C-alpha cells in the first residue's frame, strides 16, 4: 500500500516537474484552450475549419520563430510589425497587379528583409545601441518611409500568384479538405529553425545570450551571430508579410502592433527575455496558443476589441511567473556562489 | 578600568557545503588600534571579513562589539552597528558627487528639501578632519582616482559613525604616492580612536602601519603579536610553512621537456611590462605574485583579450600577433579563466553545449573526431552530473570547473593557461585537476599555471616566475620554498627591491 | 598635492556636461532651421510659427517629464499613451459640460492615472517583471478596455476648460507654461527631495542604494505613480484640445515621442544619469524639427523617418561617450614606461 502511494507520489512529482518546465507549460496551456474551444464548438476541429484556423495562425508562428532567434541571443526586435506592413505595401506597389513581376518583387522583398535585419543588427552590436532603441527607431523609420513613399495610403495591387501562398493550398484532401500552403510553410520553416538551433550557430547564439563574455572568450563571433539573428527576424517578417498580404490583402494597418503580439507569444512559450533560455518549438507553440485564445474568444462571442486586454494580462502573468521561478532558483544559486569563493 | 575591546570575535566556525573554511577563529581589536589580518590566499581572511560585514553568517562562535553581543544577517545591520567594510570593489555611485555618496540615504534636510550646502560643508569638514587635501565634495565620484574613491568610501564609513573600519587589500590598486595618502588617513583614524582592521599581503605596509598582527593559516588562528615583537621573516614563516603534503602528484614517468611552445619577449601593455617568458612542451611553469601583480594580465595578454602592445609573442616558434580569443584558439592556445561563472560557462546551457562551445564557435578547430572525443574527455575528468543534458548551473563548483577544462581540451591545444584553476572547489576535484595538469604535461602540452595558493605553484610547477607590480621580480626552480617566493612577490627581493 | 583635483577640473573642462551639450544642440537646431526656412523665403520666427512650435511642446512635454523619472530609475513606461487617452475620457465624461465638475474631473483623472502608475510600479518593483513587458501589458489592457467601451468620442468639456487647450500669453500657449512649470517642479523634485535624489541611486545601482538604507521599491513605485499622473495631465490637455474624450488618441504613439525626447535629452536609458532639464531640450528639438517640416511643407511622414534616425544616432553618440568609463586603471600608462633593464 505504502509502496503504491510512493510510486503515485513519485509520478505526481515527475508530472509537477514537467508542468513547471516552461516549455511544457505552453503545450499544456494550448491543450486547455483547445479543450475550451471543443466544449463550446466541436466542429472547430473538423478538418476544413481547423485548417482555416491554422492558415490564419501561420504568420504569427513564423514571426515567433524569427523573434525567438533575436530574443534568445539577448535582444529585442520591435521593428517586425512595421516591417511586415512595409513588405505588404512594397509588394502591392511594385507588383501593381502584374503577374510577371511576382517573383522579382518577392526577391526584392527578401533582400529588403535582410537589409533591415542587417541594419538593426549592426547598429545594436557595433554601435552598442540597446536593441530596444535601435528597433524602435527602425519601427519609426519604416513606418514613416512607407507612408512617405506611397503618399499615405497604399497603392497598387497584389498579383494572384503572390496571394497563392497565403490563400490557397493542396485542395480536395480527404478529411482535411485543403492543406494550406501557409501550414506547409510553417512546418518547413519551423523544422528548419529547430534544425538551425542544433547547429553550431544555434549553440553559439544561445551561449551569446546566456553569457556574452564566456562566449567571446571561447572565440565565438558574438556580434556576427547576433546580427544573423536580426536578419532571420527580418526574413521571418518578409515571409509573414507575403502570407498576410495573400490572406488579407493590402491595407494601411497591416502589421500594426504585431511586434507586441509576437513578443507576447515568444514569452508565453517560456523564452526568457534577456536571452539564453527557451526553445524555438515552444515559441511557435506560444504563437499558436495566442491565436487559439483569440479563436476561443470568437467562440465565446467576446468582442475582438478585448484581445489586447487579454494579451496584456497574459504577458504580465507569464513574465511574473518566470521571474518568481528565477528568484526562487536564484536563492538556491546564491548559496552555491558563496561556496565558490570561500576565501 | 579597561574599556571593552571594539571587536571581540571568538570561536568563529564557518563551512561552505561541509568544507570548513574557518575553525574556531578568535580576533580581538582594541579601540584606536590598527590591526593587521594576514595569511595566505585561502587562509580564511576574506571569509572572516565577510562575516564581520554581515555578508556571511558564522556557523558557530560569538561576536561582540564594544562588549555587546551582535549577530548580523544583512550588511545593513553591520553598518548600523558601527562596522564599516571597504571592499576592493567600491560601493559608490559614479554619477553622484563625493558629498552625495557619503550621505546617501541619510541626506540632511531643510524645510525645502535636501540641504546640499550642509551636505557639502559636512563633507568638507569630514575630509578636513581626515587631513585629506584636494578632494572636492562636489566632484563626481566617477571622475576620481582610485585612491580618492577609496577615501570617499572611508569617509562614508566614518560619517555613518563607524567604530571599526575593515579594509580589504586597500593598496592593491594604488600607486605609490597614493599609498602615502592612505597611510596618513589610517594614522589619522587611529588618532581619532577608530579601530582599523587591515587585510593585506604587503609586509612592508603591515610593518609600517599596524600595531598588532593576527595570522590565519588554513582557517585557524595561528597567533596575534605586537608588530614590534616580530620580524618580517618570522611573520612569513608563521603565515606559510604549510607542509606540502603528498597531495601533489609526482611528475609523470616519460614526461619530456621539449621545444619552446610559447615565448614572450619584452612583452608589455598598460598593466604589465618587460615580460620575458617561455614555456616548453611538457613543462609546467608557475606564475606567482600577489593580487594585482599582473598574473591575470599576462594570461589576458597572451590570449589576446588585452594584447601585448610591446614586445613579441611566438607560438611553436612562429611569431604571432594575437589580437583576440579567436586568433588565440586558432594558434592552439587555451585559457581557463579565473572566474568560471562570469567568463567560463554559459550557466543555463547543458554540460554538452558548454563542452562543445569552443568547437561550435570555431569552425577551424572543429572536427568530427574532436566532437566525438568529448564524452570520453568528460568521463576521464571524473565529471559527476546527471548526464550531458544537465544545466551546468546545477553542478558543484568542482564539476563546473571540469566542464570548463573539458571545453578547452576538446580543441586539443598546444599551450594551456590555467588561471586559478582550483579556486573555490572541493578537495577531491582539486586533486583530480592536479593529476590532470600533470597528465597534460606528459602529453606534451605547455602549461602556464597561475595560482594564488603558493603551495599549488610550488607543488606543481617545474619553474616558478614571480611577479611584482606588473614586472617579473624573479624566477625560482622547482622545490623553492614559500618564503623565497614571498620574498620576490612582496618586493623584498628582486629587480627593484626596496629595503623593508 | 592638488594634482588629482586639477586633473578632475581639466577633465570637466574638456567634457562639457551633457545638459549643456543638449542645449547647444538645441541652439544649433534652431539656428540651422531658421536659416533653412529663411532660404525658402519664410520666417521660422514669425508669430504663427512660434505658436505652432510651442504648442507642439506641451503634450510631449508632460509625458516626457514623467518618463524621465521612470527612466532615471532604470525603468520605462510604455503605457503613457493609453493612460493619457483614458484620462481624456475620464476628464470629459466627468466634466459632462459642467464647469462645476472641473475639480472633481481633475481629481478623478489624477486618481485614475496615479493608480495606473501604481499598478505599473507594483508589477515592476514587487513582481520583478521587466518594465518593458509590465508597462506594455498594462498599456494593452487599457487599450482593450478603451476599444471595447468607447466606440467614438465621449463626454463634453466645458468652454472654460477648453481654454487650457488654446489660450496663450503672447506667443506662448498656457499649456506650454503649465508644462514648463511642471518641469521646474520636477527639476526641484529630483534635485531637492530625498525621494527624487534617491532615484539617481536606484537607477545607478539598486544594490548600492539598498545597502545605503534606501527603500528602493518605494522610490520606484513613486516614480511610476508620478509618471502616470503626468500622463493624466497630458490626458487633460487632450480633452481640452478636442473638447471631448478621445480613445483614438493612443494611436499617435505618444509614448514613443516621450521616450525619444528623454533619450535625446541625454538621460541614460539604463538609468542613473540625466534630468528633466535635458528632457525639455529634447522635447523642444523635436518640436522645432516638426515645425520646420510643417513650414517647409515637407511630407509629415518624413518626420517619423527623421525621428527614428535621430534617436538611434543620439543613443549611439551617448554610448560612445560612455565607453571609456569602464577601463581599468593602467599601471604603465604610456610607452614611456619602456624597458627597465
Amino acid at each position: 500500500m505504502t509502496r503504491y502511494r510512493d510510486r503515485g507520489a513519485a509520478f505526481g512529482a515527475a508530472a509537477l516537474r514537467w508542468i513547471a518546465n516552461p516549455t511544457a507549460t505552453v503545450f499544456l496551456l494550448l491543450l486547455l484552450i483547445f479543450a475550451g474551444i471543443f466544449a463550446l464548438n466541436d466542429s472547430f476541429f473538423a478538418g476544413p475549419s481547423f485548417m482555416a484556423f491554422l492558415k490564419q495562425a501561420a504568420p504569427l508562428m513564423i514571426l515567433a520563430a524569427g523573434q525567438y532567434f533575436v530574443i534568445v541571443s539577448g535582444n529585442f526586435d520591435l521593428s517586425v510589425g512595421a516591417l511586415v506592413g512595409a513588405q505588404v505595401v512594397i509588394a502591392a506597389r511594385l507588383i501593381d497587379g502584374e503577374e510577371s513581376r511576382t517573383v522579382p518583387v518577392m526577391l526584392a522583398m527578401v533582400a529588403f528583409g535582410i537589409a533591415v535585419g542587417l541594419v538593426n543588427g549592426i547598429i545594436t552590436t557595433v554601435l552598442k545601441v540597446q536593441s530596444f532603441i535601435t528597433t524602435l527607431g527602425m519601427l519609426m523609420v519604416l513606418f514613416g518611409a512607407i507612408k512617405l513613399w506611397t503618399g499615405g495610403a497604399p497603392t497598387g495591387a497584389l498579383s494572384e500568384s503572390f496571394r497563392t501562398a497565403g490563400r490557397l493550398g493542396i485542395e480536395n484532401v480527404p478529411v482535411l479538405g485543403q492543406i494550406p500552403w501557409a501550414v506547409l510553410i510553417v512546418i518547413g520553416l519551423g523544422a528548419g529553425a529547430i534544425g538551425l538551433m542544433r547547429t553550431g550557430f544555434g549553440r553559439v547564439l544561445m551561449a551569446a545570450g546566456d553569457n556574452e563574455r564566456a562566449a567571446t572568450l571561447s572565440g565565438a563571433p558574438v556580434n556576427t551571430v547576433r546580427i544573423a539573428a536580426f536578419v532571420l527576424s527580418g526574413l521571418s517578417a518578409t515571409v509573414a508579410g507575403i502570407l498576410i498580404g495573400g490572406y488579407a490583402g493590402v491595407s494601411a494597418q497591416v502589421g500594426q502592433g504585431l511586434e507586441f503580439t509576437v513578443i507576447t507569444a515568444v514569452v508565453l512559450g517560456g523564452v526568457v527575455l534577456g536571452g539564453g533560455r527557451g526553445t524555438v518549438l515552444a515559441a511557435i507553440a506560444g504563437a499558436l496558443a495566442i491565436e487559439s485564445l483569440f479563436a476561443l474568444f470568437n467562440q465565446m462571442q467576446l468582442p475582438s476589441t478585448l484581445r489586447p486586454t487579454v494579451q496584456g494580462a497574459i504577458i504580465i502573468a507569464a513574465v511574473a511567473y518566470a521571474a518568481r521561478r528565477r528568484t526562487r532558483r536564484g536563492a538556491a544559486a546564491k548559496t552555491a556562489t558563496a561556496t565558490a569563493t570561500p576565501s | 578600568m579597561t574599556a571593552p575591546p571594539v571587536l571581540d570575535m571568538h570561536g568563529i566556525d564557518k563551512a561552505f557545503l561541509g568544507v570548513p573554511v574557518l575553525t574556531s577563529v578568535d580576533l580581538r581589536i582594541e579601540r584606536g588600534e590598527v590591526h593587521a589580518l594576514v595569511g595566505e590566499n585561502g587562509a580564511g581572511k576574506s571569509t572572516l571579513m565577510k562575516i564581520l560585514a554581515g555578508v556571511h553568517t558564522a556557523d558557530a562562535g560569538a561576536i561582540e562589539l564594544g562588549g555587546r553581543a551582535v549577530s548580523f544577517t544583512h550588511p545593513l545591520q553591520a553598518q548600523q552597528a558601527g562596522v564599516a567594510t571597504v571592499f576592493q570593489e567600491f560601493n559608490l555611485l559614479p554619477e553622484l558627487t563625493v558629498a552625495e555618496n557619503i550621505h546617501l540615504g541619510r541626506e540632511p534636510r531643510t524645510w525645502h528639501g535636501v540641504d546640499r550646502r550642509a551636505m557639502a560643508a559636512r563633507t568638507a569638514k569630514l575630509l578636513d578632519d581626515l587631513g585629506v587635501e584636494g578632494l572636492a565634495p562636489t566632484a563626481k565620484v566617477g571622475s576620481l582616482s582610485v585612491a580618492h574613491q577609496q577615501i570617499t568610501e572611508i569617509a562614508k564609513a566614518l560619517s555613518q559613525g563607524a567604530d571599526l573600519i575593515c579594509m580589504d587589500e586597500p593598496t592593491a590598486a594604488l600607486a605609490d604616492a597614493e599609498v602615502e595618502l592612505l597611510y596618513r588617513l589610517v594614522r589619522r583614524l587611529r588618532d581619532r580612536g577608530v579601530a582599523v582592521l587591515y587585510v593585506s599581503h604587503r609586509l612592508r605596509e603591515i610593518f609600517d602601519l599596524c600595531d598588532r598582527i593576527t595570522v590565519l593559516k588554513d582557517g585557524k588562528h595561528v597567533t596575534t603579536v605586537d608588530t614590534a615583537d616580530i620580524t618580517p621573516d618570522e611573520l612569513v614563516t608563521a603565515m606559510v610553512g604549510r607542509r606540502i603534503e603528498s597531495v601533489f602528484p609526482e611528475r609523470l614517468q616519460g614526461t619530456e621537456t621539449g621545444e619552446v611552445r610559447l615565448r614572450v619577449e619584452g612583452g608589455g601593455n598598460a598593466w604589465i611590462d618587460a615580460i620575458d617568458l617561455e614555456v616548453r612542451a611538457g613543462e609546467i611553469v608557475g606564475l606567482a605574485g600577489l593580487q594585482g601583480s599582473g598574473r591575470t594580465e599576462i594570461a589576458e595578454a597572451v590570449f589576446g583579450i588585452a594584447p601585448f602592445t610591446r614586445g613579441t609573442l611566438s607560438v611553436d616558434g612562429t611569431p604571432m600577433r594575437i589580437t583576440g580569443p579567436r586568433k588565440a584558439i586558432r594558434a592552439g592556445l587555451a585559457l581557463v579563466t579565473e572566474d568560471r561563472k562570469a567568463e567560463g560557462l554559459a550557466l543555463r546551457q547543458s554540460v554538452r553545449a558548454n563542452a562543445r562551445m569552443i568547437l561550435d564557435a570555431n569552425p577551424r578547430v572543429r572536427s568530427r573526431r574532436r566532437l566525438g572525443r568529448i564524452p570520453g574527455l568528460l568521463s576521464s575528468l571524473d565529471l559527476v552530473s546527471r548526464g550531458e543534458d544537465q544545466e551546468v548551473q546545477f553542478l558543484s563548483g568542482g564539476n563546473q570547473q571540469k566542464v570548463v577544462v573539458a571545453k578547452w581540451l576538446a580543441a586539443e591545444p598546444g599551450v594551456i593557461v590555467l588561471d586559478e584553476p582550483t579556486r573555490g572547489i572541493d578537495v577531491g576535484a582539486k586533486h583530480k585537476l592536479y593529476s590532470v595538469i600533470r597528465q597534460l604535461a606528459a602529453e606534451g602540452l605547455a602549461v602556464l599555471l597561475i595560482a594564488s595558493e603558493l603551495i599549488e605553484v610550488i607543488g606543481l610547477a617545474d619553474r616558478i616566475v614571480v611577479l611584482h607590480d606588473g614586472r617579473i621580480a624573479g624566477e625560482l626552480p622547482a622545490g623553492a620554498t614559500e618564503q623565497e617566493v614571498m620574498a620576490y612577490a612582496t618586493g623584498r627581493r628582486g629587480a627593484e627591491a626596496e629595503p623593508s | 598635492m592638488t594634482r588629482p583635483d586639477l586633473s578632475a577640473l581639466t577633465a570637466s573642462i574638456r567634457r562639457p556636461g551633457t545638459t549643456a551639450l543638449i542645449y547647444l544642440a538645441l541652439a544649433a537646431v534652431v539656428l540651422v532651421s531658421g536659416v533653412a526656412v529663411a532660404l525658402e523665403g519664410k520666417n521660422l520666427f514669425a508669430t504663427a510659427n512660434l505658436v505652432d512650435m510651442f504648442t507642439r511642446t506641451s503634450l510631449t512635454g508632460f509625458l516626457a517629464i514623467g518618463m524621465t523619472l521612470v527612466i532615471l530609475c532604470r525603468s520605462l513606461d510604455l503605457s503613457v499613451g493609453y493612460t493619457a487617452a483614458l484620462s481624456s475620457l475620464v476628464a470629459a465624461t466627468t466634466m459632462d459640460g459642467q464647469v462645476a465638475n472641473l475639480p472633481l474631473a481633475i481629481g478623478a483623472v489624477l486618481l485614475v492615472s496615479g493608480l495606473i502608475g501604481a499598478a505599473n510600479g507594483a508589477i515592476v518593483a514587487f513582481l520583478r517583471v521587466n518594465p518593458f513587458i509590465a508597462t506594455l501589458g498594462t498599456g494593452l489592457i487599457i487599450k482593450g478596455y478603451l476599444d471595447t467601451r468607447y466606440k467614438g468620442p465621449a463626454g463634453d468639456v466645458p468652454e472654460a476648460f477648453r481654454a487650457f487647450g488654446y489660450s496663450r500669453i503672447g506667443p506662448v500657449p498656457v499649456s506650454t507654461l503649465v508644462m514648463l512649470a511642471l518641469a521646474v517642479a520636477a527639476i526641484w523634485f529630483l534635485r531637492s527631495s530625498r525621494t527624487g535624489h534617491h532615484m539617481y541611486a536606484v537607477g545607478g545601482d539598486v544594490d548600492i542604494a539598498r545597502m545605503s538604507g534606501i527603500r528602493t521599491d518605494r522610490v520606484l513605485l513613486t516614480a511610476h505613480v508620478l509618471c502616470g499622473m503626468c500622463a493624466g495631465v497630458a490626458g487633460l490637455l487632450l480633452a481640452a484640445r478636442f473638447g471631448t474624450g478621445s480613445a483614438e488618441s493612443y494611436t499617435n504613439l505618444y509614448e514613443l515621442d516621450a521616450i525619444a525626447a528623454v533619450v535625446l535629452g541625454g538621460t541614460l536609458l539604463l538609468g542613473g544619469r540625466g534630468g528633466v532639464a535635458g528632457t525639455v531640450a529634447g522635447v523642444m528639438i523635436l518640436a522645432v524639427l516638426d515645425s520646420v517640416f510643417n513650414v517647409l511643407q515637407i511630407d509629415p511622414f518624413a518626420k517619423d523617418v527623421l525621428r527614428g534616425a535621430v534617436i538611434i544616432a543620439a543613443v549611439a553618440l551617448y554610448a560612445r561617450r560612455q565607453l571609456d568609463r569602464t577601463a581599468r586603471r593602467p599601471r604603465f600608462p604610456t610607452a614611456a614606461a619602456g624597458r627597465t633593464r
Side-chain angles (χ1 to χ4, degrees):
Chain A
M1 188 62 203
T2 41
R3 208 147 140 234
Y4 185 73
R5 206 191 297 155
D6 278 357
R7 208 189 298 164
F11 177 77
L16 268 180
R17 252 204 317 277
W18 186 79
I19 291 167
N21 173 356
T23 306
T25 316
V26 67
F27 286 101
L28 198 70
L29 186 69
L30 193 57
L31 221 62
L32 284 176
I33 299 169
F34 278 167
I37 299 176
F38 188 79
L40 289 171
N41 174 12
D42 57 2
S43 70
F44 180 83
F45 292 97
S49 85
F50 191 64
M51 282 297 131
F53 161 71
L54 287 181
K55 180 160 73 175
Q56 194 183 346
L60 192 66
M61 291 160 84
I62 290 168
L63 284 173
Q67 186 74 232
Y68 165 83
F69 291 111
V70 178
I71 290 187
V72 96
S73 76
N75 287 312
F76 276 122
D77 188 352
L78 295 181
S79 67
V80 286
L83 182 54
V84 167
Q87 294 283 27
V88 173
V89 171
I90 288 173
R93 169 120 186 215
L94 291 185
I95 293 176
D96 207 11
E98 301 264 349
E99 284 297 333
S100 61
R101 291 189 195 160
T102 304
V103 173
V105 169
M106 278 189 173
L107 289 178
M109 288 166 70
V110 168
F112 186 63
I114 291 175
V116 169
L118 272 179
V119 172
N120 277 336
I122 289 171
I123 292 176
T124 302
T125 56
V126 179
L127 297 184
K128 304 202 186 314
V129 176
Q130 295 96 327
S131 58
F132 170 70
I133 289 290
T134 309
T135 55
L136 196 65
M138 180 58 83
L139 180 156
M140 292 181 176
V141 169
L142 284 174
F143 179 80
I146 286 304
K147 292 279 168 75
L148 199 58
W149 187 52
T150 57
T155 54
L158 299 170
S159 63
E160 276 309 306
S161 50
F162 183 93
R163 300 193 65 171
T164 308
R167 265 208 296 208
L168 305 179
I170 304 173
E171 302 293 339
N172 302 323
V173 178
V175 186
L176 300 178
Q178 179 203 57
I179 299 181
W181 294 121
V183 172
L184 295 177
I185 291 173
V186 167
I187 292 171
L189 291 183
I194 292 168
L196 191 58
M197 284 313 288
R198 296 192 174 170
T199 63
F201 167 79
R203 291 171 204 271
V204 169
L205 195 68
M206 201 74 155
D210 188 342
N211 186 342
E212 178 177 352
R213 174 99 180 134
T216 308
L217 291 183
S218 300
V222 171
N223 283 357
T224 313
V225 294
R226 283 186 168 157
I227 293 170
F230 277 107
V231 170
L232 287 171
S233 176
L235 283 172
S236 77
T238 308
V239 176
I242 291 173
L243 293 184
I244 293 176
Y247 181 80
V250 192
S251 81
Q253 276 81 42
V254 177
Q256 259 179 32
L258 209 48
E259 59 277 357
F260 294 140
T261 313
V262 175
I263 291 176
T264 310
V266 174
V267 167
L268 193 60
V271 179
V272 173
L273 294 180
R277 188 188 279 287
T279 67
V280 66
L281 188 63
I284 295 174
L288 191 61
I290 294 252
E291 288 284 358
S292 53
L293 198 65
F294 292 160
L296 178 65
F297 280 19
N298 279 343
Q299 300 296 335
M300 293 166 78
Q301 295 177 346
L302 290 175
S304 68
T305 47
L306 265 185
R307 284 180 177 192
T309 300
V310 173
Q311 201 180 313
I314 288 178
I315 197 167
I316 293 176
V319 175
Y321 175 68
R324 213 171 60 87
R325 285 165 47 86
R326 266 205 307 279
T327 24
R328 261 195 281 132
R329 275 209 193 143
K334 218 170 244 169
T335 28
T337 321
T339 60
T341 50
S343 176
Chain B
M1 186 189 138
T2 52
V6 172
L7 172 74
D8 193 357
M9 298 174 96
H10 42 253
I12 301 293
D13 284 354
K14 181 73 189 174
F16 291 108
L17 285 187
V19 182
V21 179
L22 293 175
T23 323
S24 192
V25 171
D26 298 339
L27 180 65
R28 215 177 130 99
I29 302 176
E30 304 294 339
R31 189 160 296 281
E33 173 188 37
V34 182
H35 195 110
L37 182 63
V38 299
E40 278 193 297
N41 292 299
K45 303 180 305 262
S46 300
T47 309
L48 190 64
M49 244 179 88
K50 283 182 180 160
I51 289 173
L52 195 49
V55 177
H56 297 324
T57 308
D59 299 336
I63 307 175
E64 282 177 31
L65 285 174
R68 211 160 40 84
V70 291
S71 92
F72 305 136
T73 52
H74 191 274
L76 215 50
Q77 293 172 333
Q79 270 178 31
Q80 281 157 359
V83 179
T85 305
V86 181
F87 287 107
Q88 287 182 39
E89 282 178 16
F90 300 135
N91 281 315
L92 296 173
L93 291 161
E95 293 296 332
L96 299 190
T97 66
V98 172
E100 287 167 346
N101 264 294
I102 287 176
H103 292 93
L104 190 62
R106 301 168 296 114
E107 294 83 0
R109 269 194 293 196
T110 63
W111 61 271
H112 58 76
V114 175
D115 189 348
R116 266 157 220 278
R117 198 171 300 166
M119 212 151 81
R122 283 188 204 178
T123 306
K125 169 139 194 335
L126 190 65
L127 294 174
D128 200 44
D129 285 353
L130 290 173
V132 178
E133 290 164 10
L135 178 57
T138 51
K140 264 196 186 182
V141 162
S143 69
L144 299 178
S145 68
V146 180
H148 275 156
Q149 293 190 14
Q150 202 164 43
I151 289 169
T152 306
E153 185 110 5
I154 293 168
K156 180 176 176 180
L158 273 184
S159 79
Q160 291 166 347
D163 303 315
L164 172 63
I165 297 182
C166 311
M167 301 185 189
D168 186 13
E169 297 272 358
T171 55
L174 299 189
D176 286 350
E178 297 170 336
V179 172
E180 276 303 319
L181 198 63
L182 183 77
Y183 275 20
R184 282 213 312 266
L185 190 64
V186 170
R187 291 190 180 119
R188 189 69 76 109
L189 291 175
R190 176 175 57 192
D191 296 345
R192 290 176 47 157
V194 176
V196 176
L197 179 65
Y198 196 92
V199 179
S200 179
H201 273 110
R202 305 192 176 196
L203 296 185
R204 198 182 136 199
E205 288 167 17
I206 290 163
F207 282 90
D208 280 354
L209 207 55
C210 300
D211 304 313
R212 289 198 302 159
I213 305 170
T214 288
V215 182
L216 291 187
K217 185 162 77 182
D218 293 341
K220 298 191 182 81
H221 177 256
V222 176
T223 179
T224 299
V225 291
D226 283 347
T227 311
D229 298 340
I230 194 169
T231 66
D233 284 329
E234 286 166 351
L235 182 60
V236 169
T237 312
M239 280 163 61
V240 296
R242 253 195 290 191
R243 268 172 296 119
I244 299 180
E245 300 136 33
S246 54
V247 297
F248 295 102
E250 289 296 311
R251 198 174 149 98
L252 292 181
Q253 286 282 315
T255 305
E256 283 177 22
T257 309
E259 296 291 300
V260 175
R261 302 206 77 160
L262 174 72
R263 171 176 282 147
V264 179
E265 286 172 303
N269 58 26
W271 302 281
I272 44 181
D273 189 38
I275 303 298
D276 291 317
L277 193 66
E278 56 176 54
V279 190
R280 292 169 178 273
E283 192 181 31
I284 303 172
V285 173
L287 266 187
L290 302 179
Q291 210 158 39
S293 61
R295 298 174 313 203
T296 297
E297 284 77 2
I298 289 185
E300 291 185 346
V302 167
F303 207 65
I305 300 166
F308 288 116
T309 52
R310 300 182 291 276
T312 57
L313 181 151
S314 47
V315 178
D316 289 328
T318 320
M320 297 205 171
R321 272 186 52 77
I322 293 181
T323 50
R326 271 176 96 70
K327 285 198 175 165
I329 290 165
R330 274 183 222 156
L333 305 184
L335 170 65
V336 174
T337 49
E338 191 175 9
D339 184 344
R340 69 178 158 270
K341 287 194 182 196
E343 303 189 319
L345 294 168
L347 288 169
R348 295 190 283 192
Q349 311 306 315
S350 66
V351 169
R352 183 186 304 116
N354 274 285
R356 291 174 55 126
M357 202 193 288
I358 306 290
L359 301 183
D360 279 332
N362 301 277
R364 289 230 204 148
V365 299
R366 180 182 174 144
S367 74
R368 196 171 287 270
R369 185 182 62 77
R370 284 177 176 169
L371 284 171
R373 278 183 65 226
I374 288 176
L377 210 54
L378 289 170
S379 64
S380 76
L381 287 163
D382 298 342
L383 179 78
V384 181
S385 71
R386 286 209 316 258
E388 287 189 16
D389 288 320
Q390 191 177 13
E391 289 177 21
V392 292
Q393 62 175 327
F394 299 118
L395 297 180
S396 72
N399 282 306
Q400 287 182 341
Q401 190 69 329
K402 288 174 184 173
V403 175
V404 176
V405 171
K407 131 182 152 167
W408 286 107
L409 294 184
E412 301 182 336
V415 177
I416 185 162
V417 183
L418 299 151
D419 193 356
E420 301 280 5
T422 63
R423 169 172 291 185
I425 68 177
D426 58 286
V427 180
K430 270 189 189 176
H431 287 186
K432 182 66 200 174
L433 280 177
Y434 295 151
S435 62
V436 167
I437 292 170
R438 283 282 188 225
Q439 180 66 38
L440 293 177
E443 286 168 13
L445 267 80
V447 181
L448 188 60
L449 174 69
I450 300 174
S452 35
E453 293 201 30
L454 285 185
I455 50 162
E456 264 184 23
V457 180
I458 292 170
L460 287 170
D462 302 319
R463 278 188 299 127
I464 302 165
V465 173
V466 191
L467 296 170
H468 176 69
D469 271 347
R471 295 197 174 97
I472 292 176
E475 189 177 316
L476 293 161
T481 64
E482 290 181 70
Q483 282 89 337
E484 287 172 310
V485 177
M486 283 299 268
Y488 282 116
T490 53
R492 281 189 299 134
R493 255 163 77 183
E496 305 155 276
E498 297 153 291
S500 68
Chain C
M1 236 20 254
T2 51
R3 190 180 44 120
D5 192 35
L6 250 176
S7 71
L9 194 70
T10 47
S12 74
I13 289 171
R14 245 182 285 120
R15 291 181 140 222
T18 309
T19 313
L21 264 187
I22 188 74
Y23 275 92
L24 274 177
L26 173 62
V29 167
V30 170
L31 199 71
V32 171
S33 306
V35 171
V37 171
L39 287 180
E40 291 283 312
K42 292 173 182 162
N43 181 6
L44 182 63
F45 306 106
T47 310
N49 291 339
L50 281 180
V51 170
D52 175 68
M53 217 182 292
F54 282 122
T55 306
R56 286 171 191 276
T57 59
S58 51
L59 188 68
T60 316
F62 286 130
L63 295 171
I65 290 167
M67 190 70 80
T68 309
L69 302 184
V70 287
I71 291 184
L72 276 178
C73 292
R74 200 173 190 159
S75 190
L76 194 68
D77 192 345
L78 291 177
S79 68
V80 291
Y82 303 102
T83 308
L86 178 65
S87 298
S88 77
L89 284 160
V90 169
T93 50
T94 313
M95 287 174 192
D96 202 19
Q98 305 297 314
V99 177
N101 290 341
L102 275 183
L104 179 67
I106 293 174
V109 162
L110 292 181
L111 181 70
V112 168
S113 56
L115 282 176
I116 294 171
N120 280 330
I123 294 169
V124 172
F126 302 119
L127 298 184
R128 310 237 175 271
V129 174
N130 178 327
F132 171 85
I133 293 294
T135 58
L136 171 66
T138 45
L140 288 174
I141 291 175
I142 301 168
K143 175 175 161 29
Y145 172 74
L146 292 176
D147 289 355
T148 312
R149 176 82 170 67
Y150 299 97
K151 304 296 177 202
D156 182 19
V157 177
E159 188 53 35
F161 192 70
R162 290 189 195 193
F164 176 49
Y166 61 75
S167 65
R168 51 177 213 262
I169 300 168
V172 189
V174 170
S175 61
T176 303
L177 291 175
V178 173
M179 186 275 286
L180 289 175
L182 187 66
V184 170
I187 290 170
W188 171 84
F189 173 77
L190 283 175
R191 217 188 125 64
S192 294
S193 80
R194 272 199 193 184
T195 308
H197 182 63
H198 290 167
M199 286 178 181
Y200 287 92
V202 170
D205 191 319
V206 170
D207 291 328
I208 293 178
R210 206 176 287 131
M211 288 280 285
S212 301
I214 294 173
R215 309 287 295 262
T216 53
D217 292 344
R218 276 192 209 172
V219 174
L220 198 56
L221 196 65
T222 309
H224 272 285
V225 169
L226 291 175
C227 179
M229 290 169 88
C230 284
V233 175
L236 286 172
L237 179 59
L238 283 174
R241 282 201 183 149
F242 294 134
T244 173
S246 159
E248 295 285 286
S249 45
Y250 67 72
T251 53
N252 295 326
L253 299 181
Y254 293 128
E255 62 275 12
L256 300 189
D257 277 355
I259 294 173
V262 172
V263 167
L264 208 54
T267 297
L268 210 60
L269 201 56
L270 293 175
R273 203 176 77 183
V276 170
T279 298
V280 170
V283 169
M284 289 189 170
I285 289 180
L286 291 178
V288 171
L289 290 178
D290 282 359
S291 270
V292 170
F293 277 43
N294 199 27
V295 172
L296 296 185
Q297 291 176 327
I298 296 173
D299 195 309
F301 299 119
K303 115 190 166 188
D304 288 313
V305 178
L306 188 79
R307 187 161 296 189
V310 164
I311 297 169
I312 294 177
V315 174
L317 216 67
Y318 294 138
R320 209 130 294 270
R321 277 168 64 85
Q322 276 299 99
L323 282 184
D324 50 353
R325 286 277 166 130
T326 50
R328 246 181 310 179
R329 208 175 71 97
R331 197 194 313 256
F332 304 102
T334 53
R339 298 278 177 106
T340 46
R341 273 179 294 162

